[in-house]
């Protein structure tokens, strides 16, 4: 096993694969690929090297499944949040969740993710309601209200996390600060399961009420006139947004979890003019970002998951913005020049003809 | 316009008041429509024309009053009522094509969770055909001209196959071709026994196209058949001194420029 510590692991990886390919044939090759993948994922330490696929269901793989599901759901829910122009509400919910998380811990002394996230959900939703209440009572502008609620909640949350950190210094699980930027690797098996269930449930609900949410997002007046409970549907969407955001907290963190709701649909919008396709692409981008972020953070020492997930999503956004047909930058740069040239030619032609008329 | 003619008028608005910030936008509006027909709602800017139909449809809270359609509340008659909102109220960059937009008219009868089927698509295509938009079915709605967008909205209302239509400024900023198509369509609807209330801004076309007219300026100034109601006294009472010959001409010039 000393081979693992010697030389560049990548060189070794390639050399080993070529060797095994030549020597043992396809079966051995496949087994080795699986082994190498588990190594790459950081699932397996050389000391407990186990060349069987069963190792794949270890901590990181499970976390990986969790973040992929989360990314997919965020992509689906986010599409409607984006189209309803409610994407920033997700950010408020995420920040308002932090005090609830801390209070849940202080009240119950429990470290179960279910308890903590329930607390988070309560204050998160309360934050969202505070927002709509302030809008009605103060009639301040939307951005002022968003900023106010978000920063008050976040300030309160940071103060509470610090207090907890100081009082429960040496206790495992009191590390609530990992919720701020997200650390998927610290999630327990049961945590991941609960988060995955919440994500799947939200995803299914979105797909079931797809038609209704589509109508609400496009034309709320028409939705009401047809007799749909538009306010109820709006609350449902808000609730789904809240659950998605809260489920994302352990992996992506308070500060960045809303980005997972905004960036994938914004990137997907470049590729298509169809809502169903936009949701599919958005879910795909969300899933890939979740996976890549988790894998990278597992490979990098002390690197939190949240920023890596968001950076992956942003990279995909930039690619979409640049390359997408019709709406992409490259496409339009070309087209707008041509259109400009055509318009200029048109103006010149009409000017000369009107001058000719004046002369005659 | 006499409520006693029929036991169940198509639309009965009684004593309706709507206020924004305690400033009344509509005041004690009484309006009864007993005969199917084409009804124009006219009045100056800020007279509450759009507010009236939005309040009737339950889209904005009403400070007082009662609205019934065929003797029941609007909520109980939703399936028989359709609505064409103002074009500016939706995001035309929404990722949706023309056919899908028209299909939204069938959502009411589909109910929860059920998706449109081939028969609904066929009906939607027929309605697109009626507004002359069938070849645009696969277009994204943002790629249409203003008049075409208006016709898509109209097709969406048609697919609902309602008995009472509310239309908010369907002729605002549309091209001449669209205006002609829309008026022909409205007449066909009227001839098949439907009632259409249209918020209208172009006084010159009222006499030619409409059966009844409602003059609105916060209150109902006058309402009734065009022949007896569309008279200078009522115009004067609704628009005050603002409706001079010069204004009418300025309006005509503006419309001409818009259509160019």
């Amino acid at each position: 096993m000393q081979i693992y510590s010697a030389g560049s692991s990548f060189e070794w990886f390639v050399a080993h694969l070529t060797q095994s390919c030549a020597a043992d044939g396809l079966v051995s090759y496949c087994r080795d690929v699986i082994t190498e993948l588990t190594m790459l994922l950081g699932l397996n330490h050389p000391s407990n090297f186990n060349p069987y696929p069963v190792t794949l269901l270890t901590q990181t793989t499970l976390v990986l499944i969790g973040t992929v599901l989360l990314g997919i759901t965020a992509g689906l829910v986010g599409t409607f949040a984006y189209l309803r122009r409610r994407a920033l509400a997700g950010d408020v919910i995420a920040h308002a969740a932090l005090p609830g998380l801390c209070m849940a811990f202080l009240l119950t002394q429990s470290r179960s993710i279910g308890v903590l996230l329930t607390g988070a959900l309560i204050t998160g939703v309360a934050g969202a309601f505070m927002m709509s209440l302030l809008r009605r009572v103060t009639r301040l502008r939307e951005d002022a209200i968003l900023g106010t609620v978000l920063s008050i909640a976040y300030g309160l949350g940071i103060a509470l996390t610090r207090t907890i950190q100081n009082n429960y210094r040496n206790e495992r699980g009191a590390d609530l600060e990992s919720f701020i930027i997200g650390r998927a690797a610290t999630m327990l098996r049961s945590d991941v399961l609960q988060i995955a269930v919440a994500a799947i449930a939200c995803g299914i609900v979105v797909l079931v009420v797809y038609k209704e949410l589509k109508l609400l997002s496009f034309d709320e007046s028409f939705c009401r006139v047809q007799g749909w409970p538009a306010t109820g549907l709006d609350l449902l969407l808000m609730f789904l947004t809240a659950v998605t955001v809260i489920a994302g907290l352990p992996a992506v963190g308070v500060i960045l979890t809303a980005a997972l709701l905004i960036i994938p649909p914004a990137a997907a919008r470049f590729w298509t003019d169809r809502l169903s396709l936009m949701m599919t692409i958005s879910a795909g981008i969300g899933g890939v970002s979740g996976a890549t972020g988790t894998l990278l953070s597992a490979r990098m020492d002390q690197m939190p998951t949240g920023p890596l997930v968001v950076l992956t999503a942003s990279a995909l956004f930039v690619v979409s913005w640049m390359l997408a047909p019709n709406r992409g930058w490259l496409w339009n740069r070309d087209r707008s020049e041509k259109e400009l040239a055509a318009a200029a030619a048109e103006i010149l032609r009409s000017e000369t003809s009107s001058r000719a008329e004046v002369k005659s | 316009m006499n409520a006693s003619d029929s036991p169940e008028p198509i639309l009965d608005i009684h004593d309706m008041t709507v206020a924004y910030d305690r400033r009344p936008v509509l005041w004690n509006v009484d309006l009864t429509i007993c005969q199917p027909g084409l009804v124009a709602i006219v009045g100056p800017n800020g007279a509450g024309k759009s507010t009236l139909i939005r309040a009737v449809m339950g889209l904005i809270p009403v400070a007082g009053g009662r609205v019934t359609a065929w003797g029941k509340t609007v909520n109980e008659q939703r399936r028989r009522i359709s609505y064409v909102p103002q074009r500016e109220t939706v995001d035309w960059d929404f990722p949706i094509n023309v056919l899908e937009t028209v299909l939204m008219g069938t959502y009411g009868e589909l109910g929860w969770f059920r998706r449109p089927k081939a028969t609904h698509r066929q009906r939607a295509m027929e309605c697109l055909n009626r507004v002359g938009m069938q070849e645009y079915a696969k277009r994204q709605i943002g790629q249409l001209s203003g008049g075409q967008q208006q016709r898509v909205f109209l097709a969406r209302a048609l697919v609902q196959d309602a008995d009472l239509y509310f239309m908010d400024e369907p002729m605002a900023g549309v091209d001449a071709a669209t205006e002609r198509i829309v008026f022909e369509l409205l007449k066909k609807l009227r001839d098949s026994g439907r009632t259409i209330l249209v918020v209208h801004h172009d006084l010159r076309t009222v006499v030619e196209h409409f059966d009844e007219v409602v003059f609105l300026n916060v209150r109902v100034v006058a309402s009734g058949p065009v022949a007896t109601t569309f008279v200078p006294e009522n115009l004067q009472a609704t628009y005050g001194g603002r409706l001079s010959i010069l204004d009418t001409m300025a309006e005509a010039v503006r419309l001409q420029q818009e259509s160019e």
Side-chain angles (χ1 to χ4, degrees):
Chain A
M1 288 296 148
Q2 67 272 39
I3 197 161
Y4 287 103
S5 52
S8 142
S9 64
F10 182 70
E11 277 168 29
W12 173 84
F13 178 59
V14 176
H16 189 72
L17 277 187
T18 352
Q19 261 177 22
S20 58
C21 239
D24 306 322
L26 196 65
V27 176
S28 162
Y29 170 73
C30 290
R31 204 186 63 184
D32 281 358
V33 167
I34 290 166
T35 316
E36 299 324 325
L37 269 177
T38 30
M39 288 298 303
L40 265 178
L41 301 182
L43 301 177
N44 219 329
H45 197 265
S47 59
N48 53 27
F49 184 80
N50 177 3
Y52 294 100
V54 72
T55 27
L56 274 171
L57 261 182
T58 54
Q59 170 71 10
T60 311
T61 319
L62 214 75
V63 169
L64 187 69
I65 294 170
T67 46
V68 168
L69 284 173
L70 196 73
I72 290 172
T73 300
L76 294 176
V77 176
T79 302
F80 286 112
Y82 169 89
L83 291 171
R84 284 284 282 155
R85 295 156 200 254
R86 291 283 167 77
L88 278 174
D91 210 20
V92 172
I93 293 170
H95 284 77
L98 193 57
L101 203 85
C102 298
M103 284 189 258
F105 176 78
L106 286 173
L107 283 176
T108 63
Q109 300 290 318
S110 157
R111 279 129 212 186
S112 140
I113 201 109
V115 172
L116 293 182
L117 292 190
T118 307
L121 187 64
I122 292 170
T123 52
V125 170
F129 276 112
M130 180 70 96
M131 222 164 57
S132 61
L133 187 75
L134 279 179
R135 190 164 35 215
R136 247 175 288 153
V137 173
T138 64
R139 297 220 257 129
L140 284 170
R141 284 181 194 213
E142 183 97 22
D143 54 343
I145 291 168
L146 277 170
T148 310
V149 175
L150 184 144
S151 32
I152 291 173
Y154 191 57
L156 187 64
I158 292 291
L160 280 170
T161 24
R162 268 291 134 194
T163 317
I164 291 167
Q165 204 83 349
N166 292 339
N167 292 343
Y168 301 82
R169 197 178 298 271
N170 297 316
E171 289 178 53
R172 201 206 142 270
D175 181 26
L176 294 180
E177 286 195 334
S178 69
F179 283 100
I180 295 172
I181 45 174
R183 206 177 284 279
T186 61
M187 289 197 289
L188 304 175
R189 204 168 255 262
S190 56
D191 299 353
V192 180
L193 284 177
Q194 291 176 48
I195 287 165
V197 167
I200 291 173
C202 279
I204 289 174
V205 172
V206 169
L207 295 179
V208 167
V209 292
Y210 167 77
K211 182 187 83 197
E212 289 75 12
L213 290 179
K214 177 179 171 181
L215 180 61
L216 175 80
S217 312
F218 176 60
D219 193 344
E220 192 180 330
S221 302
F222 197 74
C223 179
R224 280 180 199 278
V225 167
Q226 274 195 342
W228 298 97
T231 314
L233 280 169
D234 204 33
L235 282 177
L236 175 71
L237 183 59
M238 184 66 105
F239 185 71
L240 289 172
T241 311
V243 172
T244 311
V245 162
I246 303 297
L249 290 185
V252 194
V254 163
I255 307 177
L256 293 174
T257 192
L260 208 54
L261 221 53
I262 304 170
I263 301 175
R269 186 66 188 89
F270 285 110
W271 295 98
T272 176
D273 278 335
R274 288 187 66 97
L275 180 59
S276 48
L277 206 57
M278 180 181 163
M279 281 177 79
T280 315
I281 296 171
S282 170
I285 291 174
V288 168
S289 310
T292 317
T294 310
L295 289 182
L296 286 177
S297 90
R299 292 294 289 167
M300 294 176 177
D301 199 28
Q302 291 293 308
M303 186 60 103
T305 327
L308 292 171
V309 170
V310 172
L311 286 175
T312 315
S314 313
L316 291 172
F317 173 84
V318 172
V319 169
S320 308
W321 170 44
M322 288 286 159
L323 302 180
N326 293 319
R327 291 181 155 254
W329 176 78
L330 272 180
W331 188 279
N332 281 308
R333 190 188 57 140
D334 210 35
R335 201 173 56 177
S336 61
E337 270 172 19
K338 273 183 204 152
E339 275 170 8
L340 210 66
E346 181 68 29
I347 291 168
L348 276 176
R349 200 147 33 95
S350 64
E351 285 233 326
T352 30
S353 64
S354 62
R355 261 189 223 137
E357 270 170 36
V358 171
K359 272 179 195 166
S360 65
Chain B
M1 277 286 168
N2 195 342
S4 59
D5 286 350
S6 159
E8 280 183 4
I10 295 163
L11 181 71
D12 189 19
I13 303 169
H14 182 67
D15 209 10
M16 188 166 76
T17 297
V18 177
Y20 290 138
D21 309 330
R22 297 181 188 178
R23 187 175 60 85
V25 184
L26 290 175
W27 189 256
N28 284 354
V29 171
D30 278 296
L31 183 65
T32 309
I33 291 167
C34 299
Q35 300 291 321
L38 253 171
V39 184
I41 301 171
V42 297
N45 287 332
K49 304 186 294 281
S50 295
T51 307
L52 175 65
I53 63 173
R54 290 178 66 80
V56 168
M57 306 243 55
L59 291 173
I60 44 177
V62 174
R66 177 172 53 80
V67 180
T68 56
W70 299 283
K72 291 179 181 171
T73 65
V74 169
N75 248 332
E76 292 166 312
Q77 302 283 16
R78 292 265 180 221
R79 292 278 298 281
R80 296 179 70 183
I81 301 173
S82 193
Y83 173 49
V84 180
Q86 275 183 28
R87 207 150 35 85
E88 295 77 30
T89 55
V90 305
D91 171 19
W92 290 94
D93 196 38
F94 199 88
I96 191 173
N97 68 28
V98 168
L99 183 63
E100 283 177 293
T101 312
V102 176
L103 275 172
M104 283 182 170
T106 66
Y107 284 10
E109 59 174 273
L110 280 170
W112 286 98
F113 316 127
R114 285 178 56 218
R115 305 285 160 87
K117 307 235 161 42
T119 51
H120 300 108
R121 280 170 199 285
Q122 204 184 331
R123 257 173 56 202
M125 278 310 284
E126 279 162 20
C127 290
L128 274 177
N129 206 0
R130 283 165 72 185
V131 296
M133 289 288 292
Q134 65 282 6
E135 64 263 42
Y136 296 92
K138 295 286 170 203
R139 273 289 177 96
Q140 197 266 329
I141 51 170
Q143 296 167 1
L144 305 174
S145 73
Q148 290 170 331
Q149 290 176 345
Q150 193 64 59
R151 282 191 261 165
V152 172
F153 262 16
L154 209 65
R156 182 178 69 169
L158 285 179
V159 95
Q160 209 167 322
D161 200 22
D163 294 314
L164 178 58
Y165 290 86
F166 291 93
M167 303 191 180
D168 202 346
E169 300 259 10
M171 310 295 178
V174 304
D175 50 291
T178 299
E179 188 167 313
R180 201 184 58 244
I181 290 172
V182 172
F183 271 128
E184 275 169 23
L185 202 74
L186 295 186
K187 277 174 191 157
K188 276 184 200 153
L189 281 174
R190 186 255 330 263
D191 294 342
S192 60
R194 322 295 169 97
T195 302
I196 309 110
L197 270 83
V198 182
V199 170
H200 200 56
H201 65 277
D202 186 4
L203 290 175
R204 295 167 307 161
T205 48
V206 170
V207 177
E208 186 187 345
H209 295 291
F210 289 90
D211 306 320
E212 291 190 22
V213 62
V214 177
F215 284 103
L216 190 75
N217 194 352
V218 183
R219 299 156 177 271
V220 172
V221 178
S223 70
V226 169
T228 54
T229 317
F230 199 78
V231 292
E233 296 79 57
N234 285 335
L235 280 164
Q236 188 67 33
T238 311
Y239 289 85
R242 276 177 286 172
L243 193 82
S244 61
I245 300 283
L246 276 175
D247 281 346
T248 323
M249 283 180 70
E251 175 82 351
V253 168
R254 190 181 61 80
L255 285 172
Q256 188 112 35
Q257 279 166 345
E258 260 175 24
S259 60
E260 268 168 15

